[in-house]
């Protein structure tokens, strides 16, 4: 068999992945050497850095003013601001996916190329868990009330939390 | 069952059997899950974390009492463990490095045969993982799916109708699944084709990591291949995508091995024999050198160049010569130069023929 790149005898048979499809290459030693020698840049950056991705996508169509306003938006449940999310690359609570839905959309597209889950669905709460989300908010507000020494408000919140928790217990038992 | 028992044993996933186990060390699947009624870890207070850990501990005990989870599984509060024990669990791939080094209440549930582990309060409230020896992703998915169902009987997961399972990092949202296989690819490394392979994998959105996960160096020519996308495809599709590329990589590695035998058998045999020789006689040796030499020896066994050693022994040595393992096995705290001496002595004990009988133990 002849080398695919020159006329010499092919002694090196390589299965290369081209766009995920294995494809056969038949090369002479010299051409194989050139083909296989590692390229200059190292592919060390395994996961695209979240911060970079975000900056990239938020820069599009956002003026500095708009971005500053966006950064100040805070989730009503856990209190995380969009700026905090952009800095740490981690969200604060499940509700952030709802509250920052528009902002997260381009990010999800660039990571996953998709925006709709098609896999497994839990049996227990397939349509989301709004009441559970409220618990996160109530617990946070209770903590804030306590540190502001608003004890009456805190005890009202505590009662609300207990009511919701008790209703969960009934459902599971 | 305690941590010391675990140290002297070796996990199911290292047993060196299963399909294609000369090249595929293990198959792993992990699921990221969060409780619906708590903030994600980055916004959780110390009290929240302690409460999450307390709740999940209770639910897991309930599963054990109901006979749904193995009664002998180990529940460890990682936050209470000494550093050497946390490092030990990382070396054993039962917890992540992040889990070992982070703050606040956190725990891990470990199956004594190391077929699964569940991290509590890692980046997500729950990180469930299942391990299998060789190429066995379909089996791993079947098992983790069941384990996930069991846990879901006990708690309400954060889930969104359109976006699926909600995770702290948007890179995991949807299925929350990471499917990975650990491959031993020494011949691709020797023939300098490995970078090219990695580039092709990146092009189809598969990630390559070293032996110990994100950011770790690929030591001893061991590589983990896994999916990056988690949204918009089913778990089975994501597993299949990884499973489909593995036979190509195996074939690629086998061709490179055949090429080396055909073109430079003496050089290859020499490399393998020298590696074995050093491992059997060295008086002090680093972890990196050990990994790299064991990699050559492992390939040598697969090519029939070394007859007196078995793959499971090499797999075990790869893990047992890591720093925390050496300290657990010797029962001593050792600094790095003492570890190098202990490592060499451990290798001599296990690789020289006169000591075959005791190789199963310390
Ligand atoms: Zn040629
Ligand atoms: Zn939030």
């Amino acid at each position: 068999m002849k080398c695919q790149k020159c006329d010499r005898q092919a002694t090196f048979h390589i299965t290369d992945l081209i766009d995920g499809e294995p494809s056969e290459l038949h090369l002479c030693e010299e051409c194989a050497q050139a083909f296989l020698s590692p390229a200059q840049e190292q592919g060390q950056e395994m996961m695209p850095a979240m911060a970079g991705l975000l900056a990239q996508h938020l820069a599009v169509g956002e003026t500095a003013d708009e971005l500053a306003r966006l950064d100040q938006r805070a989730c009503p449940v856990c209190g995380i601001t969009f700026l905090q999310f952009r800095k740490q690359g981690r969200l604060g609570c499940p509700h952030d996916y709802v509250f920052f839905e528009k902002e997260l959309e381009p990010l999800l597209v660039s990571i996953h190329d998709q925006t709709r889950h098609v896999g497994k669905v839990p049996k227990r709460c397939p349509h989301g868990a709004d009441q559970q989300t409220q618990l996160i908010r109530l617990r946070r507000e209770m903590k804030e009330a306590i540190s502001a020494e608003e004890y009456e408000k805190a005890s009202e919140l505590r009662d609300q939390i207990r009511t919701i928790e008790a209703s969960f217990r009934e459902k599971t038992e | 069952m305690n941590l010391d028992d675990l140290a002297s044993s070796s996990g199911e996933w290292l047993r060196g059997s299963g399909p294609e186990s000369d090249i595929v060390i293990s198959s792993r699947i992990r699921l990221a899950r969060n409780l619906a009624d708590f903030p994600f870890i980055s916004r959780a207070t110390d009290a929240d974390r302690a409460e999450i850990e307390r709740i999940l501990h209770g639910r897991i005990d309930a599963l054990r009492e109901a006979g749904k989870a193995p009664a002998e599984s180990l529940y460890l509060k990682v936050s209470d463990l000494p550093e050497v024990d946390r490092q030990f669990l990382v070396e054993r791939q039962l917890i992540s490095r992040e889990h070992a080094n982070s703050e606040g209440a956190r725990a891990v549930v470990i199956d004594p045969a190391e077929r699964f582990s569940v991290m509590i309060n890692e980046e997500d409230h729950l990180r469930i993982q299942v391990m299998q020896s060789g190429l066995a992703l379909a089996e791993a998915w079947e098992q983790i799916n069941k384990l996930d169902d069991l846990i879901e009987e006990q708690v309400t997961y954060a889930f969104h109708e359109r976006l699926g399972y909600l995770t702290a990092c948007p890179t995991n949202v949807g299925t929350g699944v990471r499917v990975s296989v650990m491959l031993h690819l020494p011949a691709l490394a020797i023939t300098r084709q490995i970078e090219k392979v990695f580039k092709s994998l990146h092009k189809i959105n598969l990630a390559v990591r070293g032996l110990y996960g994100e950011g770790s160096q690929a030591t001893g020519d061991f590589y983990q291949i896994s999916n990056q996308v988690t949204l918009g495809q089913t778990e089975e599709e994501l597993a299949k995508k990884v499973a489909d590329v593995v036979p190509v990589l195996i074939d690629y590695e086998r061709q490179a091995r055949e090429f080396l035998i055909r073109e430079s058998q003496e050089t290859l045999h020499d490399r393998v024999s020298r590696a074995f020789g050093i491992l059997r006689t060295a008086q002090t040796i680093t972890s990196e050198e050990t990994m790299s030499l064991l990699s050559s020896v492992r390939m040598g066994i697969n090519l029939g160049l070394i007859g007196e050693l078995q793959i499971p022994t090499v797999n075990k040595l790869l893990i047992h010569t890591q720093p925390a393992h050496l300290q657990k096995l010797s029962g001593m705290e050792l600094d790095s130069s003492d570890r190098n001496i202990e490592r060499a002595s451990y290798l001599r004990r296990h690789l020289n023929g006169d000591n075959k009988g005791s190789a199963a133990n310390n």
Side-chain angles (χ1 to χ4, degrees):
Chain A
M1 188 181 287
K2 272 194 182 165
C3 171
Q4 287 172 299
K5 301 211 167 164
C6 70
D7 274 346
R8 275 172 293 200
Q9 182 74 14
T11 51
F12 214 109
H13 309 284
I14 300 165
T15 312
D16 195 26
L17 287 175
I18 297 167
D19 295 330
E21 295 296 320
S23 110
E24 285 279 317
L25 275 172
H26 309 282
L27 302 171
C28 71
E29 189 156 3
E30 199 171 302
C31 292
Q33 207 55 263
F35 179 74
L36 296 172
S37 63
Q40 303 310 316
E41 11 79 80
Q42 277 270 37
Q44 282 309 325
E45 192 66 36
M46 302 293 189
M47 261 299 195
M50 281 283 302
L53 265 176
L54 276 166
Q56 194 184 317
H57 283 277
L58 289 168
V60 183
E62 302 284 354
T63 65
D65 277 359
E66 280 169 342
L67 188 56
R69 209 173 312 125
L70 190 59
D71 276 346
Q72 295 312 310
R73 288 192 71 206
C75 167
V77 171
C78 73
I80 194 175
T81 64
F82 200 67
L83 180 66
Q84 283 169 323
F85 165 63
R86 287 210 298 135
K87 280 190 174 159
Q88 68 193 26
R90 300 288 181 276
L91 292 162
C93 80
H95 187 65
D96 297 354
Y97 282 98
V98 178
F99 187 73
F100 297 120
E101 187 179 4
K102 250 196 226 126
E103 292 82 357
L104 289 174
E105 181 102 6
L107 180 68
L108 292 178
V109 170
S110 79
I111 299 168
H112 303 286
D113 206 27
Q114 297 285 339
T115 56
R116 182 170 288 278
H117 174 61
V118 295
K120 185 174 180 177
V121 172
K123 293 176 191 74
R124 186 185 287 258
C125 254
H127 306 295
D130 290 341
Q131 281 215 302
Q132 278 85 351
T133 310
Q134 289 318 307
L135 270 185
I136 303 176
R137 181 178 58 81
L138 292 170
R139 287 202 203 97
R140 184 171 68 95
E141 285 174 1
M142 182 176 77
K143 220 164 293 156
E144 284 166 3
I146 291 169
S147 50
E149 301 186 5
E150 299 174 41
Y151 297 114
E152 205 168 316
K153 188 178 168 194
S155 83
E156 275 168 30
L157 287 162
R158 191 198 52 210
D159 291 344
Q160 286 184 50
I161 291 168
R162 288 196 175 154
T163 311
I164 299 178
E165 283 177 342
S167 77
F168 289 165
R169 232 167 287 134
E170 272 165 37
K171 268 184 229 161
T172 52
E173 274 152 23
Chain B
M1 179 77 198
N2 60 34
L3 261 192
D4 295 330
D5 297 332
L6 205 59
S8 55
S9 73
S10 100
E12 186 70 8
W13 60 276
L14 278 168
R15 105 190 111 91
S17 61
E20 317 286 4
S21 58
D22 57 334
I23 292 171
V24 186
I25 309 269
S26 62
S27 302
R28 268 162 204 271
I29 300 185
R30 77 108 162 97
L31 292 173
R33 297 288 188 254
N34 288 279
L35 304 186
D37 53 348
F38 283 92
F40 294 143
I41 293 299
S42 72
R43 291 295 287 185
T45 61
D46 286 347
D48 288 332
R49 290 183 205 207
E51 182 68 0
I52 295 164
E53 192 271 330
R54 194 189 62 77
I55 289 172
L56 289 172
H57 192 173
R59 302 301 154 89
I60 283 157
D61 278 350
L63 282 175
R64 287 197 285 200
E65 276 155 30
K68 291 178 173 177
E72 70 280 15
S73 51
L74 213 55
Y75 188 97
L76 297 170
K77 282 197 177 172
V78 175
S79 31
D80 294 347
L81 291 177
E83 208 207 316
V84 64
D85 286 358
R86 284 181 276 136
Q87 183 57 35
F88 165 80
L89 293 171
V90 174
E91 291 173 3
R92 207 54 168 256
Q93 305 200 330
L94 293 167
I95 68 174
S96 64
R97 202 179 305 160
E98 295 71 30
H99 198 52
N101 300 332
S102 75
E103 311 256 296
R106 55 201 196 283
V108 63
V109 188
I110 297 169
D111 165 47
E114 294 171 60
R115 287 162 304 198
F116 69 83
S117 76
V118 182
M119 282 184 271
I120 294 173
N121 289 349
E122 208 246 21
E123 182 183 297
D124 296 292
H125 299 155
L126 283 158
R127 285 282 178 101
I128 310 164
Q129 72 161 344
V130 158
M131 308 72 106
Q132 288 258 335
S133 185
L135 181 58
L137 288 173
E139 292 85 342
W141 167 245
E142 194 184 317
Q143 283 174 20
I144 202 165
N145 194 17
K146 274 188 212 151
L147 193 53
D148 183 45
D149 286 344
L150 273 181
I151 296 173
E152 201 226 316
E153 282 177 16
Q154 302 285 323
V155 296
T156 303
Y157 284 151
F159 185 83
H160 183 276
E161 212 170 354
R162 180 172 63 87
L163 293 172
Y165 293 92
L166 302 178
T167 52
C169 182
T171 52
N172 295 316
V173 76
T175 55
V177 77
R178 176 174 288 156
V179 176
S180 69
V181 285
M182 187 164 32
L183 302 172
H184 184 217
L185 305 173
L188 286 177
I190 295 172
T191 56
R192 307 202 308 173
Q193 301 175 77
I194 203 88
E195 284 293 325
K196 244 193 113 37
V197 173
F198 290 171
K199 286 222 177 94
S200 325
L201 292 172
H202 288 285
K203 273 189 218 145
I204 56 167
N205 269 319
L206 294 177
V208 183
R209 296 178 175 79
L211 186 53
Y212 287 105
E214 227 142 315
S216 75
Q217 281 264 264
T219 26
D221 311 314
F222 296 97
Y223 304 94
Q224 297 185 59
I225 315 292
S226 61
N227 63 302
Q228 282 192 336
V229 167
T230 56
L231 181 65
Q233 295 178 52
T234 65
E235 293 81 358
E236 286 91 347
E237 284 167 346
L238 292 165
K240 188 174 181 306
K241 193 172 173 189
V242 175
D244 281 352
V245 82
V246 172
V248 181
L249 296 174
I250 291 172
D251 189 41
Y252 212 6
E253 167 71 16
R254 293 229 167 95
Q255 285 187 39
R257 291 181 184 189
E258 277 162 29
F259 173 79
L260 288 172
I261 290 204
R262 205 167 51 233
E263 304 295 316
S264 49
Q265 166 136 34
E266 290 75 18
T267 316
L268 184 68
H269 200 162
D270 183 67
R271 180 192 186 111
V272 167
S273 304
R274 280 170 190 269
F276 197 25
I278 293 172
L279 289 169
R280 292 164 87 157
T281 55
Q283 300 298 310
T284 168
I285 189 165
T286 64
S287 179
E288 292 71 30
E289 188 180 6
T290 304
M291 294 281 274
S292 136
L293 296 174
L294 281 172
S295 170
S296 294
V297 165
R298 196 177 185 282
M299 176 171 62
I301 297 170
N302 286 328
L303 293 175
L305 300 172
I306 294 177
E308 62 264 53
L309 197 60
Q310 305 292 319
I311 289 291
T313 309
V314 178
N315 287 356
K316 191 179 117 172
L317 289 176
L318 280 165
I319 303 296
H320 284 201
T321 55
Q322 305 277 334
H325 269 78
L326 281 177
Q327 297 180 72
K328 293 292 286 178
L329 289 168
S330 68
M332 288 181 292
E333 211 177 292
L334 303 167
D335 66 18
S336 124
S337 74
D338 286 341
R339 282 202 300 272
N340 291 346
I341 293 168
E342 175 60 25
R343 182 176 296 112
S345 147
Y346 184 88
L347 286 164
R348 290 197 310 276
R349 287 202 305 277
H350 287 81
L351 291 174
N352 288 306
D354 54 299
N355 198 20
K356 263 184 189 149
S358 63
N361 287 308
N362 184 17

